[in-house]
C-alpha cells in the first residue's frame, strides 16, 4: 500500500478511537452504542495497542471490573445511569442487577458475547515493551479471563461436549443472522410496544425488524423471570444454540491462555485449558463441521437439530487451528468460490451470509454485509494455515472497503453497487482498530 494512503488511514483510525474514548474505555460508536460492549472492547484494545498501550490496558481493566461473581463477563457494561435514556433495552429492561451474581458497583446485562479476551491479552502482551512493569496487570487479567472460560465450560456445556451454548442471539455477536430464523420459526413471542433508539440513528432497512426485536426482548424477559439463574434459564429459554463462531473464538482464546500460562507460571490453569481445548476442537470437528458445505454449522440444543446455513461466521474456527488440513482446504475453496465472492468472483470478502442464499440482504446487518472484526479473525486463520492468497484477499478487501466507503460498522459485499456501501454507524471503533492492525 502507498505510504500516503497508510498515513491517512492511520491518522483517521486514531482520530476515531480517540473520539470514542471515555476516560477508561471505548464506546463502539458515539451515537448508536454509548456504553462498553465486550467483544468490541477486545478489538478496540488491540487497536489501542498500536497507538497507546495505557489505553489498551485500561480498556481491559475496565471491562474485567464488571465481571460477575460466577465468572460471566457481561455483553454490555452500562457505565452511567443515563443508560435508560440513551439506549434501549437499557439496564432496567435487562434487570440483571437483581441477580445475586451481578456486580454491585455497576449495572450490566446478564448475557455475554464472543470470548475474544484470551487472544486479545496475548496480543497486548506481545506488543508490550516493558513487560516486567505491567506483569501484575497481565497476571490478574489472565485469571479473570480463565474464570470466564471456567464459567462457560461449567454452566454452558450440559452434555460435556466441549461446545458451550449461547442463550440469546446477542451472545453470538451476530444479532439478526438468518440462522436464528430457524429458531424463531418454532414459537411466537408476545409483541412488545417499546421505543427503539437504534432506528432513530440508522435507517430501518439496515437494522433488525420489529418482529425480530420481539424475539430478542422476549428472551430477556424470560431470563429476568429466572433471575438469571443458569439452570432455570436452560430449562425455560427457547434459544439454546451451539454456535461455531463463539466456540471457535473460545478455542482461539484457550490457545492463547495456554501460552500465557506458561509465561506467567500457572501450571494447573494451563493443563485445564489444554483439556478444554482438546474437547472443543473435537466437538467442533466431529459435531459442527459440515462437509457438504465446507464450513461449520450450528446446533440447536432445544429442538435437537442442526441448522446448516452458509454464514461467514462458519469459517471462524480456522483461527484456532481447529480444522484438519483437508477441511481447511475445503474452507479455502468455499470462501473463494461463488457463494462468498459472487458469480464474477469479485465481491468483497467476507459476507456474513453467502450471497447466493435466499435470505441474503446486502445491507441488513448480519444477513449479508461484511464485518471487519470477523475479517480480522479469518485473515489470521487462513494465513496460519498457509493460505496466503485467501488471507491477502481478505486484507485487501477490508482496506478497499474502508478507503472507498469510510469507517462504517458494516459493508455491502457486492462489487460496483450503487451508493455508499458503508452501513450502520460511522466512525466505528472496531473498524478503526482492525485497520490499525492491518496497516501496522
Ligand atoms: C451490534 C453487533 C454486536 C456488537 C454491538 C456493538 O449489536 O451485532 O456484535 O457488539 O453492536 O458494536
Amino acid at each position: 500500500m502507498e505510504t500516503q494512503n497508510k498515513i491517512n488511514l492511520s491518522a483517521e483510525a486514531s482520530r476515531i478511537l480517540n473520539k470514542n474514548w471515555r476516560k477508561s474505555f471505548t464506546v463502539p460508536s458515539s451515537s448508536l452504542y454509548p456504553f462498553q460492549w465486550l467483544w468490541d472492547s477486545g478489538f478496540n484494545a488491540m487497536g489501542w495497542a498500536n497507538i497507546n498501550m495505557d489505553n489498551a490496558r485500561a480498556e481491559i481493566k475496565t471491562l474485567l471490573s464488571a465481571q460477575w461473581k460466577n465468572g460471566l463477563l457481561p455483553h454490555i457494561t452500562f457505565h452511567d445511569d443515563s443508560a435508560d435514556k440513551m439506549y434501549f433495552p437499557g439496564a432496567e429492561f435487562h434487570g440483571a442487577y437483581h441477580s445475586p451474581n451481578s456486580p454491585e458497583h455497576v449495572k450490566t446485562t446478564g448475557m455475554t458475547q464472543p470470548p475474544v479476551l484470551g487472544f486479545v491479552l496475548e496480543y497486548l502482551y506481545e506488543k508490550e515493551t516493558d513487560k516486567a512493569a505491567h506483569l501484575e496487570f497481565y497476571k490478574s487479567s489472565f485469571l479473570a479471563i480463565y474464570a470466564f472460560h471456567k464459567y462457560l465450560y461449567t454452566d454452558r456445556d450440559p452434555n460435556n461436549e466441549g461446545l458451550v451454548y449461547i442463550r440469546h442471539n446477542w451472545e453470538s455477536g451476530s444479532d439478526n443472522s438468518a440462522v436464528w430464523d430457524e429458531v424463531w420459526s418454532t414459537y411466537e413471542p408476545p409483541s412488545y410496544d417499546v421505543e427503539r433508539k437504534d432506528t432513530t440513528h440508522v435507517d430501518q432497512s439496515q437494522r433488525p425488524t420489529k418482529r425480530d426485536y420481539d424475539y430478542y426482548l422476549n428472551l430477556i424477559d424470560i431470563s429476568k423471570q429466572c433471575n438469571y439463574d443458569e439452570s432455570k434459564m436452560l430449562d425455560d429459554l427457547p434459544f439454546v444454540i451451539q454456535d461455531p463462531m463463539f466456540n471457535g473464538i473460545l478455542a482461539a482464546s484457550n490457545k492463547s491462555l495456554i501460552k500465557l500460562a506458561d509465561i506467567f507460571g500457572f501450571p494447573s490453569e494451563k493443563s485445564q485449558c489444554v483439556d478444554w481445548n482438546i474437547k472443543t476442537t473435537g466437538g467442533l470437528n466431529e459435531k459442527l463441521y459440515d462437509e457438504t458445505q465446507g464450513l461449520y454449522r450450528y446446533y440447536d440444543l432445544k429442538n435437537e437439530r442442526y441448522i446448516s446455513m452458509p454464514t461467514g461466521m462458519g469459517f471462524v474456527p480456522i483461527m484456532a487451528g481447529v480444522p484438519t488440513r483437508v477441511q481447511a482446504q475445503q474452507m479455502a475453496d468455499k470462501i473463494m468460490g461463488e457463494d462468498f465472492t459472487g458469480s464474477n468472483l469479485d465481491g468483497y470478502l467476507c459476507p456474513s451470509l453467502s450471497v447466493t442464499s435466499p435470505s441474503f440482504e446486502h445491507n441488513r446487518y448480519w444477513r449479508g454485509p461484511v464485518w471487519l472484526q470477523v475479517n480480522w479473525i479469518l485473515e489470521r486463520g487462513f494465513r496460519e494455515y498457509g493460505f496466503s492468497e485467501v488471507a491477502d484477499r481478505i486484507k485487501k478487501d477490508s482496506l478497499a472497503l474502508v478507503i472507498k466507503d469510510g469507517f462504517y460498522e458494516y459493508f455491502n459485499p457486492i462489487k460496483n453497487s450503487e451508493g455508499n456501501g458503508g452501513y450502520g454507524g460511522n466512525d466505528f471503533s472496531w473498524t478503526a482498530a482492525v485497520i490499525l492492525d492491518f496497516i501496522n
Side-chain angles (χ1 to χ4, degrees):
M1 187 193 270
E2 288 164 41
T3 325
Q4 193 52 40
N5 250 343
K6 229 171 153 172
I7 294 169
N8 291 345
L9 277 182
S10 162
E12 188 58 4
S14 308
R15 177 190 69 75
I16 291 166
L17 284 188
N18 278 294
K19 169 183 167 187
N20 294 341
W21 179 249
R22 302 285 180 275
K23 288 197 187 107
S24 63
F25 68 96
T26 318
V27 297
S29 136
S30 51
S31 53
L32 201 53
Y33 306 116
F35 304 100
Q36 190 175 26
W37 265 254
L38 196 167
W39 75 319
D40 295 68
S41 232
F43 284 98
N44 297 339
M46 296 197 287
W48 280 117
N50 289 281
I51 51 176
N52 181 334
M53 228 28 235
D54 289 337
N55 286 8
R57 274 184 252 102
E59 179 89 48
I60 298 301
K61 220 172 158 177
T62 308
L63 187 68
L64 295 177
S65 73
Q67 185 160 34
W68 283 36
K69 297 179 190 86
N70 59 352
L72 176 139
L73 285 173
H75 112 285
I76 306 176
T77 306
F78 298 108
H79 285 290
D80 64 73
D81 292 334
S82 64
D84 289 288
K85 275 189 237 115
M86 293 163 72
Y87 182 81
F88 182 82
E92 280 310 315
F93 193 93
H94 283 276
Y97 59 90
H98 294 298
S99 160
N101 282 321
S102 67
E104 268 104 47
H105 66 288
V106 69
K107 289 186 176 148
T108 73
T109 61
M111 62 178 93
T112 190
Q113 258 191 335
V116 295
L117 292 181
F119 65 73
V120 169
L121 197 69
E122 186 191 356
Y123 185 99
L124 265 52
Y125 189 73
E126 274 174 4
K127 293 251 174 203
E128 191 70 74
T129 45
D130 191 353
K131 294 186 169 39
H134 300 287
L135 196 59
E136 267 325 298
F137 160 79
Y138 285 98
K139 284 176 135 180
S140 60
S141 303
F142 172 98
L143 291 172
I145 299 165
Y146 176 81
F148 175 44
H149 286 209
K150 187 165 182 196
Y151 151 80
L152 291 173
Y153 283 104
T154 310
D155 283 6
R156 303 278 195 114
D157 184 16
N159 306 326
N160 203 11
E161 298 173 285
L163 295 172
V164 309
Y165 66 75
I166 54 170
R167 52 171 165 74
H168 193 289
N169 53 300
W170 284 341
E171 292 201 310
S172 70
S174 49
D175 300 9
N176 70 334
S177 164
V179 175
W180 317 138
D181 296 359
E182 300 291 314
V183 185
W184 309 147
S185 71
T186 62
Y187 69 98
E188 291 287 324
S191 166
Y192 289 84
D193 187 16
V194 292
E195 194 200 335
R196 277 168 70 179
K197 309 268 177 187
D198 58 325
T199 41
T200 62
H201 300 294
V202 169
D203 193 284
Q204 291 252 9
S205 67
Q206 299 171 20
R207 297 284 307 175
T209 63
K210 149 91 176 92
R211 191 66 185 145
D212 286 337
Y213 254 76
D214 287 337
Y215 282 99
Y216 310 168
L217 298 176
N218 183 231
L219 292 179
I220 297 175
D221 230 357
I222 298 170
S223 306
K224 204 161 44 173
Q225 283 158 29
C226 298
N227 204 16
Y228 291 90
D229 177 287
E230 292 291 346
S231 62
K232 282 198 193 119
M233 284 188 284
L234 178 59
D235 287 343
D236 291 0
L237 286 167
F239 185 103
V240 183
I241 301 285
Q242 290 168 322
D243 171 307
M245 175 157 80
F246 196 99
N247 282 282
I249 287 178
L250 179 62
S253 278
N254 279 333
K255 283 184 89 177
S256 293
L257 291 186
I258 292 168
K259 282 191 214 151
L260 293 174
D262 259 342
I263 302 171
F264 304 152
F266 292 126
S268 64
E269 286 79 1
K270 177 186 169 179
S271 74
Q272 179 63 82
C273 290
V274 169
D275 288 351
W276 284 335
N277 225 33
I278 292 171
K279 267 194 153 166
T280 300
T281 304
L284 277 163
N285 282 347
E286 281 145 36
K287 185 169 180 183
L288 297 190
Y289 188 71
D290 183 348
E291 230 171 46
T292 57
Q293 296 270 5
L295 40 66
Y296 292 81
R297 58 190 161 168
Y298 300 71
Y299 190 79
D300 176 343
L301 280 172
K302 263 284 134 111
N303 299 297
E304 297 185 338
R305 56 169 191 170
Y306 282 105
I307 306 176
S308 289
M309 183 80 67
T311 66
M313 294 74 84
F315 294 110
V316 162
I318 197 154
M319 186 194 171
V322 168
T324 62
R325 197 65 225 166
V326 172
Q327 290 168 339
Q329 181 64 58
Q330 289 171 345
M331 292 166 78
D333 295 342
K334 181 74 174 186
I335 200 170
M336 294 296 262
E338 273 197 3
D339 288 344
F340 283 88
T341 64
S343 47
N344 297 325
L345 305 182
D346 66 351
Y348 297 100
L349 286 179
C350 173
S352 43
L353 181 64
S354 157
V355 298
T356 51
S357 161
S359 305
F360 174 81
E361 291 180 71
H362 71 279
N363 63 345
R364 202 185 287 278
Y365 220 36
W366 289 93
R367 304 174 80 92
V370 176
W371 292 72
L372 289 211
Q373 83 287 7
V374 176
N375 273 7
W376 183 88
I377 290 176
L378 300 183
E379 194 266 345
R380 290 219 146 192
F382 281 104
R383 194 163 308 281
E384 195 70 6
Y385 274 80
F387 292 107
S388 43
E389 195 197 328
V390 185
D392 289 347
R393 167 77 175 262
I394 294 172
K395 191 164 169 173
K396 187 178 115 249
D397 288 355
S398 306
L399 289 164
L401 285 169
V402 170
I403 292 169
K404 173 171 82 72
D405 299 325
F407 284 78
Y408 275 87
E409 188 178 1
Y410 40 100
F411 300 88
N412 187 345
I414 309 291
K415 194 79 173 234
N416 299 324
S417 40
E418 270 179 33
N420 192 298
Y423 305 126
N426 194 1
D427 280 0
F428 214 85
S429 297
W430 62 16
T431 306
V434 166
I435 292 298
L436 282 171
D437 174 82
F438 276 166
I439 60 181
N440 276 306

